[in-house]
């Protein structure tokens, strides 16, 4: 882009003004020349670019001279990175007709790459001219020294997702400097990196880090949208998590995590915005093009602009049917991958992104764009495969290259270990990758994102300590949050001093975690679940920016033992294809590598029969994973997992092995500590404690093929 081809139009406040270009939306800095500004606003009669100094005092307003189609544009010579700016739009203010052009409202550029401070609602400062409430956009420079560090590119089969909140993970970490606590830089402190490496996770899934604003209702209650699922800009790293420069510090975090082998997955929210419904504030998108950016209900074959479609429960739904909105979302994704170097995305309420005419379409334009895009088609894509709109539950219906959060796995595992009857067939199906949902031959066995706990809901610890939710601190009289938690308190609601209850709770946590990491699919671990993090029974802690949400690093003996157990599970999972890339004869996804077998046994060591599968009182069984002897397998790979979710001890008769081979215990969830490194040799039978899981492997006891000296 060379501005010398254009004539100067005027000079304002010392800046030479040119017509500029409409080719690329947002601020585009051209070194040695200045910055081009372009913004989409089809119904505006005029758009003004407002420039501010570092103290946020307005320098000048520039009426954008160019308009090509629906895009306004101007080039301002001499504007460099660091310049603060915003927009004002003239036009019609008639909300009943969907028009919100109001020159008194300073607007955030939808393509802004930085904000100088967080967006914090202030009703007094919003009234009239909102300039003093609104943060200012920043012209960013793309220069950054990546120091030759490349992306880890973790294979799907090796991926272990670890979901964390940037602030909550280090806010009270004793080994993080005070000025870095709760920040992007806090995540790359030496002790934090060391912890993550010892745990063994591969991919950090960060809860939303795009600029957001807390809901007005929460503000009035003295609460905040701590989780960040209320975006107001899709490009800008949230300033709350930065010491000074959120863009530079975010890039630094990504570079250092990559240096240590960790992927960065972003939880992104493209289904709604912080502007809310009909009476919501004018902050950005609404002031530029409310009628096209959001979806509206139809009455008598016409849009009713007073009724926003609300597939999200947050007041509005973003309209990806509009090509400019689709362009905005996909360019945002491309920016995070290309400029910020992230490795993938988890899409909140992802069904909303694929609605066309408000109906889900698994061949939607959104899916097509991502499929053919040379950058976005190469990253990890994880769907939360539902929203709350009509026909909003779509587990298993996303494109083949997507991963999907599997709530069937969550619910079945919780119910099975709680002792619910009749779940055995479904539990076995979840254990083997939910191939009833993610069809064999079409979807890789790693498609299913398996989880026991997510950010929304009980933590693992609370799952075994509370029968009911306790959300009183949220200010809604405990009406919010899901009531179907499949949880159990084992005798006492909440903390207990009863030794037997606490031992059972710890065992149940080990059962659930072992099931997670021994199951086929992609495991997802909620940060802190490995060390007993509690939210005090709150299963909807989105508005709690306090110790309820922050990870507590003061650990008990039991917490440390649980953390070591999880690290052992992850290491074990990585040790064999059988535990993360099961390839069976009837699954032709990898047609040439069908080398594994699965055998199912009852507690007597006999093959499971139809009647045993459907016996509602049967909560005990064994599954054997076998790798055949060929060039794709290690001949020692043979594992047996014993499940006993009943309330009685069970004697398992182990399958017979050839002479010279024996079963060796790798772990038993009934034990409070891990077995010795060599394991314990087992004979024909094994007594397993009630409500426990045992994992054993085959070992060879004779010397074979010893090389001659």
């Amino acid at each position: 882009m060379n501005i010398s081809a254009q004539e100067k139009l005027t000079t304002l406040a010392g800046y030479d003004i040119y017509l500029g270009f409409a080719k690329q939306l947002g601020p585009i800095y051209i070194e040695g020349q200045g910055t081009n500004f372009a913004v989409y606003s089809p119904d505006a009669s005029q758009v003004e670019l407002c420039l501010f100094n570092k103290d946020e005092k307005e320098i000048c307003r520039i009426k954008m001279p160019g308009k090509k189609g629906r895009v306004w544009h101007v080039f301002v010579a001499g504007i460099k990175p660091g310049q603060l700016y915003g927009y004002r739009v003239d036009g019609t203010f008639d909300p009943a007709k969907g028009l919100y052009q109001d020159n008194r409202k300073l607007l955030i550029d939808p393509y802004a790459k930085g904000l100088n401070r967080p967006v914090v609602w202030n009703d007094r400062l919003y009234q009239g001219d909102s300039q003093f409430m609104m943060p200012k956009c920043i012209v960013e420079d793309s220069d950054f020294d990546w120091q030759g560090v490349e992306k880890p590119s973790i294979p799907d089969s090796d991926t272990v997702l670890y979901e964390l909140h940037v602030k909550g993970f280090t806010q009270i970490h004793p080994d993080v400097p005070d000025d870095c606590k709760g920040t992007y830089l806090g995540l790359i402190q030496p002790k934090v990196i060391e912890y993550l490496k010892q745990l063994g996770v591969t991919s950090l899934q960060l809860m939303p880090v795009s600029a957001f604003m807390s809901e007005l209702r929460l503000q009035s209650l003295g609460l905040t949208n701590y989780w960040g699922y209320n975006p107001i800009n899709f490009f800008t790293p949230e300033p709350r998590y930065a010491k000074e420069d959120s863009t530079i510090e975010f890039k630094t975090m990504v570079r250092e995590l990559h240096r240590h082998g960790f992927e960065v997955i972003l939880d992104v929210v493209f289904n709604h915005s912080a502007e809310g419904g009909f009476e919501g504030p004018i902050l950005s998108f609404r002031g530029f093009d409310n009628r096209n950016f959001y979806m509206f209900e139809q009455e008598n074959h016409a849009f009713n602009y007073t009724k926003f479609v609300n597939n999200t429960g947050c007041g509005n739904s973003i309209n990806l049917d509009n090509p400019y909105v689709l362009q905005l979302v996909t360019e945002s994704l491309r920016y995070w991958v290309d400029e910020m170097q992230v490795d993938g995305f988890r899409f909140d309420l992802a069904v909303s992104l694929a609605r066309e005419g408000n109906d889900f379409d698994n061949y939607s334009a959104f899916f097509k764009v991502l499929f053919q895009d040379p950058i976005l088609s190469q990253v990890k894509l994880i769907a939360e495969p539902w929203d709350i709109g009509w026909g909003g539950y779509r587990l298993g219906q996303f494109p083949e290259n997507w991963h999907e959060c599997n709530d069937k796995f969550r619910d079945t595992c919780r119910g099975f270990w709680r002792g619910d009857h009749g779940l055995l067939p479904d539990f076995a199906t979840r254990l083997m990758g939910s191939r009833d949902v993610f069809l064999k031959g079409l979807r890789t066995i790693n498609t299913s994102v398996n989880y026991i706990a997510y950010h929304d809901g009980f933590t693992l610890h609370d799952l075994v300590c509370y029968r009911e939710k306790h959300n009183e601190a949220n200010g809604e009289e405990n009406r919010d949050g899901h009531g179907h938690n499949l949880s159990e308190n084992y005798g006492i609601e909440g903390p207990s001093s009863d030794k037997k209850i606490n031992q059972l709770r710890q065992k149940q946590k080990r059962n659930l975690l072992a099931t997670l990491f021994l199951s086929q699919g992609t495991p997802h671990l909620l940060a802190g679940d490995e060390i007993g993090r509690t939210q005090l029974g709150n299963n909807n802690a989105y508005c709690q920016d306090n110790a309820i949400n922050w990870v507590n690093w003061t650990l008990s003996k039991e917490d440390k033992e649980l953390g070591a157990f999880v690290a052992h599970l992850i290491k074990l999972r990585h040790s064999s294809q059988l535990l993360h890339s099961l390839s069976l004869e009837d699954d032709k996804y990898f047609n040439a590598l069908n080398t594994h077998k699965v055998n199912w046994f009852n507690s007597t060591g006999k093959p499971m029969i139809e009647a045993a599968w459907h016996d509602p009182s049967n909560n005990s069984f064994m599954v054997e994973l076998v790798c055949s002897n060929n060039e794709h397998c290690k001949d020692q790979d043979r594992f047996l997992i014993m499940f006993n979710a009943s309330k009685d001890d069970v004697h398992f008769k182990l399958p017979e092995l050839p002479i010279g081979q024996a079963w060796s215990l790798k772990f038993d969830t009934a034990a409070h500590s891990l077995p010795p490194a060599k394991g314990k040799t087992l004979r024909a039978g094994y007594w397993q404690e009630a409500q426990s899981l045992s994992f054993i492997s085959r070992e060879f006891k004779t010397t074979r093929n010893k090389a001659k000296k």
Side-chain angles (χ1 to χ4, degrees):
M1 185 184 295
N2 191 341
I3 201 63
S4 61
Q6 295 187 359
E7 292 185 6
K8 181 177 69 174
L9 299 179
T10 186
T11 299
L12 188 61
Y15 296 111
D16 291 338
I17 311 300
Y18 295 81
L19 186 64
F21 304 90
K23 293 180 180 179
Q24 190 171 351
L25 293 171
I28 306 300
Y29 170 62
I30 304 173
E31 188 172 0
Q33 298 185 63
T35 301
N36 191 80
F37 297 87
V39 65
Y40 167 79
S41 189
D43 295 318
S45 59
Q46 180 64 60
V47 177
E48 291 181 313
L49 171 67
C50 304
L51 302 180
F52 300 87
N53 64 18
K54 292 184 178 180
D55 297 324
E56 297 193 33
K57 182 178 180 180
E58 188 173 290
I59 299 171
C60 64
R61 298 187 187 184
I62 301 170
K63 294 183 183 297
M64 301 183 81
K67 185 171 187 287
K68 185 175 182 179
R70 302 178 179 187
V71 176
W72 298 78
H73 52 89
V74 64
F75 186 93
V76 186
I79 294 293
K80 299 178 180 179
Q83 176 65 54
L84 303 183
Y85 74 99
Y87 287 108
R88 296 179 187 271
V89 174
D90 285 310
T92 303
F93 182 80
D94 189 346
K97 294 182 180 179
L99 300 171
Y100 285 84
Q101 283 78 48
D102 185 346
N103 187 263
R104 300 173 302 166
K105 304 305 179 187
L106 186 72
L107 303 178
I108 295 172
D109 181 0
Y111 279 79
K113 307 304 190 298
L115 295 176
N116 69 330
R117 54 184 170 87
V119 186
V120 179
W121 175 255
N122 186 309
D123 187 71
R124 180 180 63 83
L125 294 180
Y126 175 79
Q127 301 305 322
D129 192 329
S130 65
Q131 170 183 326
F132 297 101
M133 189 201 95
M134 299 298 293
K136 309 307 179 285
C137 307
I138 305 173
V139 176
E140 293 283 356
D141 190 349
S142 62
D143 285 347
F144 181 78
D145 185 4
W146 290 99
Q147 300 178 0
V149 177
E150 298 182 354
K151 295 183 178 183
S153 299
I154 307 294
D156 285 350
S157 58
D158 294 338
T159 299
V160 177
L161 296 168
Y162 189 64
E163 183 190 21
L164 61 84
H165 189 282
V166 169
K167 179 177 182 178
F169 197 67
T170 64
Q171 181 65 21
I172 53 177
H173 196 296
D175 297 313
V176 172
D178 288 346
D179 64 339
C180 290
K181 291 183 186 294
T183 68
Y184 302 119
L185 299 182
L187 287 180
I188 55 175
Q189 297 303 305
K191 288 294 185 180
V192 178
I193 294 291
E194 180 184 347
Y195 175 83
L196 294 170
K197 283 188 171 182
Q198 290 177 349
L199 185 59
V201 296
T202 68
S203 309
L204 306 189
Q205 182 177 303
L206 307 184
M207 291 173 68
V209 295
S210 296
F212 67 91
M213 186 186 81
S214 290
E215 293 87 340
L216 282 60
R217 180 187 62 82
L218 291 179
Q219 196 94 356
S220 67
L221 293 172
L223 300 171
T224 184
N225 191 317
Y226 167 79
W227 285 352
Y229 289 89
N230 206 38
I232 196 55
N233 184 272
F234 299 148
F235 293 84
T236 299
E238 172 53 52
R240 289 173 176 85
Y241 309 142
K243 294 168 60 177
E244 296 179 4
D245 188 316
S246 63
T247 300
I248 295 298
E249 292 173 32
F250 183 90
K251 288 181 177 180
T252 302
M253 176 196 70
V254 173
R255 182 188 67 199
E256 296 310 306
L257 288 173
H258 283 173
R259 191 191 303 276
H260 291 282
F262 298 106
E263 289 184 320
V264 178
I265 310 293
L266 298 189
D267 194 333
V268 289
V269 185
F270 295 119
N271 53 73
H272 77 282
S273 87
E275 291 181 314
F278 180 64
E279 296 181 352
I282 305 170
L283 306 172
S284 180
F285 315 111
R286 172 165 286 155
F288 288 111
D289 186 25
N290 178 72
R291 293 202 292 190
N292 287 309
F293 191 80
Y294 297 111
M295 299 172 64
F296 299 91
E297 295 184 11
Q298 292 192 41
E299 296 178 358
N300 299 321
H301 305 289
F303 289 118
N304 182 343
Y305 291 108
T306 68
K307 293 184 179 180
F308 285 69
V309 169
N310 190 13
N311 294 323
T312 65
C314 300
N316 61 53
S317 297
I318 291 174
N319 178 25
L320 270 77
D321 253 352
N322 181 273
Y324 279 94
V325 180
L326 179 62
Q327 178 188 24
L328 172 70
V329 169
T330 53
E331 288 193 6
S332 164
L333 294 171
R334 203 174 295 113
Y335 175 80
W336 285 106
V337 174
D338 196 29
E339 179 68 26
M340 309 296 264
Q341 289 291 293
V342 305
D343 304 279
F345 305 95
R346 180 264 189 189
F347 295 86
D348 180 64
L349 301 181
V351 167
S352 288
L353 309 183
R355 287 185 178 272
E356 298 192 347
N358 205 22
D359 288 329
F360 176 81
D361 185 349
N362 51 16
Y363 287 98
S364 70
F366 176 72
F367 289 148
K368 291 175 182 176
V369 168
L370 266 61
F371 185 80
Q372 61 79 40
D373 189 282
I375 295 175
L376 300 180
S377 62
Q378 303 305 307
V379 303
K380 286 185 169 70
L381 304 172
I382 304 170
E384 183 181 35
W386 51 77
D387 64 16
I388 67 168
W390 181 85
Y393 186 78
R394 298 288 178 164
L395 179 66
Q397 299 179 41
F398 278 69
E400 296 166 17
N401 60 321
W402 282 65
H403 295 73
E404 300 182 40
C405 298
N406 188 352
D407 61 325
K408 289 182 180 292
F409 179 92
R410 174 200 65 195
D411 291 351
T412 300
C413 291
R414 288 183 179 189
F416 178 80
W417 284 113
R418 191 174 67 166
D420 295 357
H421 287 177
L423 291 178
L424 187 58
D426 197 44
F427 182 76
T429 301
R430 305 301 144 231
L431 195 67
M432 291 296 109
S434 296
R435 305 307 269 168
D436 60 330
V437 176
F438 307 108
L439 300 181
K440 298 176 181 180
L442 294 177
R443 309 284 295 269
T444 168
I445 203 166
N446 305 115
T447 297
S448 175
V449 174
N450 299 331
Y451 63 100
I452 302 298
Y454 231 91
H455 65 267
D456 49 350
F458 279 144
T459 64
L460 176 65
H461 181 81
D462 290 356
L463 188 67
V464 299
C465 293
Y466 295 91
R467 186 174 295 167
E468 307 294 338
K469 59 186 173 72
H470 296 271
N471 300 351
E472 290 81 6
N474 295 355
E476 297 185 43
E477 299 180 349
N478 204 33
R479 292 190 300 266
D480 63 308
H482 208 295
H484 184 64
N485 296 292
L486 295 167
S487 60
E488 184 52 76
N489 62 25
Y490 300 102
I492 296 176
E493 188 78 351
S496 171
S497 59
D498 188 300
K499 185 177 180 179
K500 289 185 177 180
I501 289 177
N502 287 330
Q503 287 178 344
L504 177 55
R505 288 173 173 179
Q506 290 297 118
K507 182 168 63 173
Q508 289 289 51
K509 286 194 280 186
R510 291 191 291 269
N511 287 332
L512 289 162
L513 288 165
T515 302
L516 174 65
F517 287 106
L518 294 177
S519 296
Q520 301 298 315
T522 300
H524 167 285
L525 180 65
L526 178 64
D529 274 358
E530 75 279 10
I531 50 175
R533 187 174 79 88
T534 178
Q535 292 175 174
L536 306 178
N538 192 324
N539 77 345
N540 189 35
Y542 75 105
C543 56
Q544 302 296 326
D545 188 0
N546 50 49
I548 289 178
N549 262 315
W550 303 337
V551 176
N552 182 0
W553 295 98
T554 303
L555 306 181
S556 66
K557 177 176 178 288
E558 291 75 16
D559 295 335
K560 293 176 181 178
E561 288 176 346
L562 188 64
F565 179 66
V566 173
H568 177 73
L569 288 173
I570 295 174
K571 185 177 181 180
L572 186 65
R573 179 182 177 85
H574 288 318
S575 70
S576 174
Q577 287 185 344
L578 284 170
L579 301 177
H580 59 67
S581 299
L582 199 65
S583 183
L584 303 177
E585 292 181 0
D586 62 344
D587 187 349
K588 303 302 181 183
Y589 189 84
F590 295 111
N591 197 47
L593 299 175
N594 305 111
T595 58
H596 305 149
K597 294 181 180 180
V598 176
N599 300 312
W600 305 90
F601 302 100
N602 61 25
S603 60
T604 67
K606 296 180 180 180
M608 289 280 286
I609 61 174
E610 190 74 15
W613 281 115
H614 297 288
D615 179 356
S617 63
N618 182 19
N619 276 3
S620 301
F621 70 100
M622 292 184 287
V623 58
E624 183 185 37
L625 308 178
V626 182
C627 199
S628 305
N629 295 333
N630 58 41
E631 65 271 20
H632 299 298
C633 292
K634 298 177 181 179
D635 58 2
Q636 68 267 28
D637 280 356
R638 187 169 184 173
F639 302 119
L640 186 70
I641 313 172
M642 293 176 281
F643 295 89
N644 178 20
S646 69
K647 295 182 179 180
D648 300 311
D649 294 353
V650 172
H651 180 262
F652 284 90
K653 183 178 180 182
L654 305 181
E656 293 185 2
L657 292 173
I659 296 174
Q661 300 178 19
W663 292 113
S664 176
L665 179 66
K666 294 300 181 183
F667 70 81
D668 185 339
T669 59
H672 304 302
S673 59
L674 295 172
K678 286 188 176 181
K680 173 185 176 183
T681 300
L682 303 178
R683 299 190 182 278
Y686 185 74
W687 278 101
Q688 187 172 10
E689 187 178 296
Q691 296 170 296
S692 62
L693 179 157
S694 296
F695 181 86
I696 63 180
S697 68
R698 175 180 60 172
E699 289 191 356
F700 294 91
K701 296 301 179 181
T702 58
T703 303
R704 300 175 296 114
N705 301 324
K706 181 176 287 188
K708 295 181 180 180
K709 294 184 179 179

